[in-house]
Amino acid sequence: MSDLDTQIHLHARVFRTGCDWYADIDDHTDPQPDDPYWYGYYSSQRAAIDAACERIAALNRDRCRRLSQQLLLRATSSA
């Protein structure tokens, strides 16, 4: 399997801890909160959800950018 075929399936978890809302993003192979890709604490559930969604979108943009660069490098090296 090449780097271009690799897929990461992420999920967000949002829950209340005391007075704060916790959000994290993890992959399906290691869904434990001990080593997430990203996490944060927020004052509201809405803020936690928005932050998790924005982080997933940013991770997706970064991944798409890297894939585009890999495709461009492959196209220019085979020409």
Side-chain angles (χ1 to χ4, degrees):
M1 184 182 302
S2 73
D3 290 337
L4 297 175
D5 297 328
T6 303
Q7 294 185 14
I8 298 174
H9 299 277
L10 300 175
H11 72 270
R13 173 182 22 238
V14 174
F15 58 90
R16 193 170 195 163
T17 61
C19 296
D20 295 325
W21 285 89
Y22 172 83
D24 76 9
I25 295 173
D26 223 330
D27 65 6
H28 70 285
T29 60
D30 184 22
Q32 301 302 314
D34 61 340
D35 188 22
Y37 281 104
W38 167 88
Y39 70 93
Y41 292 93
Y42 299 89
S43 59
S44 71
Q45 182 183 35
R46 178 81 262 158
I49 292 170
D50 289 346
C53 290
E54 177 54 37
R55 188 55 59 123
I56 288 174
L59 289 167
N60 188 50
R61 285 190 300 270
D62 291 344
R63 182 176 180 275
C64 288
R65 190 175 307 117
R66 284 191 308 274
L67 289 174
S68 295
Q69 290 170 348
Q70 289 175 358
L71 288 171
L72 181 60
L73 286 173
R74 286 183 183 185
T76 57
S77 65
S78 64

